Structure formats: C-alpha cells, structure tokens
Amino acid sequence: ADKVRCDLNVDGQVTLSDLEVLSAILPSAKDMSLYKSKEVFIISSRDWQSVVMLAPVTTWTGNETGCTHVANTPTNTCVYPTLILHDETATSNTSGFDADSILYFLRQYQPTKVTLVGPTPQGFDNLLLAAAPTGAGLTADKISRINTSQYLAYWATYPVIVYVKNDYATALVASTYASLIDEPLIIQGSILDNPVFFTGKVVACVGITDPRCSENYTLKSLQQHYIK
C-alpha cells in the first residue's frame, strides 16, 4: 500500500496519544553511525524551513546507545547542540553575519565534529579554522557539510512523518512534537516534500489537509496536547 492507515480508536480516529503508542509499538530509530560524541550542528538563519526541520534530527526522545546527553535534560533525551548563524549575507562570499557567540561556544565546548548544514558564508568557514581567540581553532578534518535533503538519512527507521503547513509558528510547534516522538518533520512545499518519503508511512498532518494525511490536527489541538 502507498499509505499506512492507523485506525486505533473505536470511532476510527487517530489521536495524538495514539501516534505516541504507534511510535512505541513500531519505534523509530536513528542511524547512530552518522553521529559523533560532542558533535555540533551549525545552520544559517537564511532558510527557516531548514532550521525548523533540523530540530528532530538533533534533539529527540530516545535511548539510542551512544547518543549525546546534556546536563539538566531527561536521561532519555538525546541532544546535539544546534547553533543558528545569524546570516544576512546576500551571497556566500560577502560579509553580514554574526558569529561571535558561535565561535565562543565552539572554543569552550571543544566539539569532536562540526556539521555545517547547507551553505554558510566563506568568511564564517574561514573563522572556524582560524586560531583562537579570533576563530574557533578547528581542524579541517573535524568539519563536514550536509544538505537539507539528507535529513531523513539520519533515521534508520521511521513509521510516522509529521507533515506541517508552510507557516513558521505552526511548524515550530510541530517540530517540538516531532522531536518528542522521534519522527521526521516535513514542511509543505519544502525540499523534503517529495512523494517518495511518504510511501508506507503514517502521515500526521498539522494545519493542512492533504490526500497523504492519515490524520489532521490544528495548531490549537497540538498546543492543547502539550498542556495536558
């Protein structure tokens, strides 16, 4: 079948709690070979869709062996620091970014790996390699780059996709839910909105109606779920 329908309730409706049960029965799992201890992800602020969809890639509820935990978070929460570069550059070769806080964090944290997501200004890339106190003092072998199209590769398995309308406020709440159940987030019209990623998945839609949706939720119903 092209789509998995999940009719768990006697009334034929799937609730948010049902999706959590489904995730427990058919759990998703990250491909931990793609992560390193003390890895840091850095992404430009220029593409908000890519920033929001990155959230469940770097922060999720799970117990994968070897995932990074940080202080003052639940023991079953995996967290890889995600730094957003304030970037107002017109092109990748011009100035117009603020990297001071990121460079300071990198010098203090001493990451084993830095993954750049999408394009970043060349001037910023140079600062990553520059010696302290001007730059982060990293070596080239600790820096890699991925694109938004590679996000789903970080899951070894995932039964559910959280599919949200192209709206920042709605997508932000949906990203938190996707992290909670450890499932990918796809924003309507984004580079990940490709039929191949939806095949055989339970599609939980937020704020939109689409033939691929297994169930539909509003921003309000998702927010009420957290209150409960």
Side-chain angles (χ1 to χ4, degrees), residues 91-122:
T91 72
S92 60
N93 296 315
T94 63
S95 60
F97 59 88
D98 181 5
D100 290 347
S101 60
I102 290 178
L103 295 173
Y104 178 80
F105 176 85
L106 293 175
R107 288 193 294 266
Q108 299 300 310
Y109 190 68
Q110 294 292 302
T112 57
K113 179 182 178 182
V114 170
T115 297
L116 303 175
V117 183
T120 49
Q122 184 60 53

Side-chain angles (χ1 to χ4, degrees), residues 5-191:
R5 182 75 187 185
C6 183
D7 296 321
L8 297 178
N9 289 341
V10 293
D11 60 0
Q13 298 297 305
V14 177
T15 68
L16 290 169
S17 58
D18 290 332
L19 288 178
E20 291 167 8
V21 171
L22 175 63
S23 292
I25 297 173
L26 300 172
S28 61
K30 289 297 201 303
D31 182 353
M32 295 309 299
S33 69
L34 298 180
Y35 297 89
K36 286 189 178 297
S37 175
K38 294 193 72 175
E39 181 174 359
V40 171
F41 290 79
I42 302 176
I43 185 170
S44 167
S45 62
R46 293 177 64 192
D47 180 5
W48 72 265
Q49 290 185 336
S50 294
V51 173
V52 173
M53 291 190 295
L54 182 62
V57 176
T58 62
T59 304
W60 69 93
T61 301
N63 292 302
E64 282 88 347
T65 300
C67 83
T68 296
H69 302 282
V70 297
N72 301 317
T73 60
T75 56
N76 65 337
T77 302
C78 300
V79 179
Y80 291 84
T82 305
L83 310 179
I84 302 174
L85 174 68
H86 182 65
D87 180 7
E88 296 182 351
T89 56
T91 72
S92 60
N93 296 315
T94 63
S95 60
F97 59 88
D98 181 5
D100 290 347
S101 60
I102 290 178
L103 295 173
Y104 178 80
F105 176 85
L106 293 175
R107 288 193 294 266
Q108 299 300 310
Y109 190 68
Q110 294 292 302
T112 57
K113 179 182 178 182
V114 170
T115 297
L116 303 175
V117 183
T120 49
Q122 184 60 53
F124 174 72
D125 297 347
N126 294 340
L127 286 171
L128 293 178
L129 297 171
T134 302
L138 298 173
T139 55
D141 62 305
K142 290 186 177 181
I143 303 173
S144 64
R145 191 182 300 272
I146 64 169
N147 295 312
T148 307
S149 60
Q150 297 172 266
Y151 284 1
L152 272 66
Y154 281 83
W155 278 267
T157 59
Y158 58 95
V160 176
I161 285 175
V162 179
Y163 185 46
V164 62
K165 76 173 182 177
N166 186 20
D167 172 74
Y168 178 75
T170 307
L172 199 60
V173 175
S175 71
T176 305
Y177 185 67
S179 292
L180 176 67
I181 62 174
D182 188 16
E183 304 290 357
L185 175 72
I186 296 179
I187 297 174
Q188 185 181 36
S190 70
I191 191 172

Side-chain angles (χ1 to χ4, degrees), residues 166-225:
N166 186 20
D167 172 74
Y168 178 75
T170 307
L172 199 60
V173 175
S175 71
T176 305
Y177 185 67
S179 292
L180 176 67
I181 62 174
D182 188 16
E183 304 290 357
L185 175 72
I186 296 179
I187 297 174
Q188 185 181 36
S190 70
I191 191 172
L192 293 179
D193 192 355
N194 186 317
V196 68
F197 297 134
F198 292 79
T199 302
K201 307 298 180 183
V202 173
V203 182
C205 293
V206 183
I208 56 175
T209 300
D210 185 277
R212 295 172 291 189
C213 299
S214 301
E215 268 306 323
N216 295 278
Y217 308 108
T218 65
L219 174 59
K220 183 178 180 180
S221 67
L222 199 57
Q223 290 172 325
Q224 290 175 338
H225 176 67

